[in-house]
Amino acid sequence: AQSVSQHNHHVILSEAASLELGCNYSYGGTVNLFWYVQYPGQHLQLLLKYFSGDPLVKGIKGFEAEFIKSKFSFNLRKPSVQWSDTAEYFCAVRLTEGGSQGNLIFGKGTKLSVKP
Amino acid sequence: EAGVTQFPSHSVIEKGQTVTLRCDPISGHDNLYWYRRVMGKEIKFLLHFVKESKQDESGMPNNRFLAERTGGTYSTLKVQPAELEDSGVYFCASSPYWAARRTDTQYFGPGTRLTVL
């Protein structure tokens, strides 16, 4: 079965530190890739997405992610985190072929705590 | 434009009781999805409506779960009877077009936290 792995359960950083959250998926076909974020007390919001084209995608709030097809990876990065980036981050994959009906397959999430 | 809304935000029930969760998608969205996150686990797909029809219910855990989408608008997810393992956060998401279900962005509601005691 297809799965998504997020390598870190909880990441703690100081403000201004650089961030990289890992995401790998297991599926050999064409996929759409997403990062969602859930700030404390809020709903899941789309941070960025990759459908096709330039594998380096830029999202909101200074986040970016790079799709590396050969590594089945879609890591999330931010050069300098802020206290307001404290949240839980979810990587998700959507299959675009075969019997896929459009549902998302999520990783377990990574909690990011940024110390002021 | 109003986002996806869910009601209630929290529900605490005892094992064996019935609970009904409601989701109001963004107006005009064909696709409505239910997901669930059990504590410590990943968010998992439950089912997908296209308008009023169930398109894919492969993620529904068992027949204690019943979902409906009245007139292609709001949806309800009923759990009857509830068991301890049903505790978790139930998310609803919607996206605009059936034909573009593999390329649409899904917009999520705030979730309903269900606790079964």
Side-chain angles (χ1 to χ4, degrees):
Chain A
Q2 295 81 21
S3 64
V4 177
S5 297
Q6 291 185 241
H7 312 305
N8 309 99
H9 176 64
H10 193 184
V11 173
I12 302 172
L13 296 172
S14 296
E15 276 195 315
S18 63
L19 170 72
E20 180 159 2
L21 301 183
C23 173
N24 286 87
Y25 62 94
S26 63
Y27 181 66
T30 306
V31 295
N32 297 150
L33 297 156
F34 305 83
W35 277 96
Y36 280 87
V37 60
Q38 188 171 28
Y39 298 102
Q42 297 188 28
H43 61 277
L44 279 161
Q45 302 173 39
L46 182 68
L47 204 52
L48 48 77
K49 62 187 178 185
Y50 173 80
F51 286 177
S52 63
D54 188 345
L56 184 63
V57 292
K58 297 195 183 297
I60 60 172
K61 305 187 180 186
F63 286 90
E64 65 178 31
E66 185 176 13
F67 170 49
I68 303 179
K69 190 174 182 180
S70 60
K71 294 185 178 180
F72 301 92
S73 70
F74 190 55
N75 291 355
L76 181 70
R77 300 194 292 247
K78 185 171 184 178
S80 175
V81 295
Q82 301 173 317
W83 177 79
S84 58
D85 293 324
T86 295
E88 191 161 16
Y89 293 79
F90 296 90
C91 181
V93 167
R94 177 170 59 200
L95 310 182
T96 62
E97 303 164 335
S100 167
Q101 296 300 319
N103 57 284
L104 300 174
I105 303 165
F106 283 88
K108 287 190 176 182
T110 298
K111 288 184 180 176
L112 172 65
S113 298
V114 180
K115 298 184 292 184
Chain B
E1 179 182 86
V4 178
T5 57
Q6 293 186 244
F7 182 82
S9 57
H10 293 86
S11 180
V12 180
I13 61 172
E14 294 192 349
K15 176 182 170 180
Q17 289 186 320
T18 298
V19 64
T20 301
L21 314 180
R22 173 171 170 144
C23 168
D24 286 78
I26 293 171
S27 179
H29 279 196
D30 286 347
N31 299 297
L32 187 151
Y33 301 84
W34 282 98
Y35 295 86
R36 176 175 75 171
R37 188 185 192 195
V38 172
M39 191 167 63
K41 304 279 190 178
E42 65 271 24
I43 300 169
K44 281 198 169 179
F45 166 75
L46 296 178
L47 87 158
H48 170 206
F49 282 98
V50 177
K51 298 183 181 178
E52 68 276 7
S53 300
K54 290 177 189 173
Q55 184 63 32
D56 180 358
E57 50 185 334
S58 61
M60 294 287 262
N62 50 61
N63 60 10
R64 295 185 294 102
F65 289 75
L66 175 65
E68 295 180 329
R69 188 178 182 191
T70 306
T73 57
Y74 70 91
S75 174
T76 58
L77 180 64
K78 181 189 287 189
V79 185
Q80 179 183 30
E83 297 289 344
L84 300 178
E85 64 266 24
D86 301 332
S87 294
V89 180
Y90 290 76
F91 294 101
C92 175
S94 71
S95 70
Y97 309 113
W98 156 244
R101 66 196 180 281
R102 294 175 183 169
T103 54
D104 278 357
T105 294
Q106 292 183 22
Y107 299 90
F108 280 78
T112 294
R113 182 174 297 278
L114 174 64
T115 302
V116 182
L117 302 175

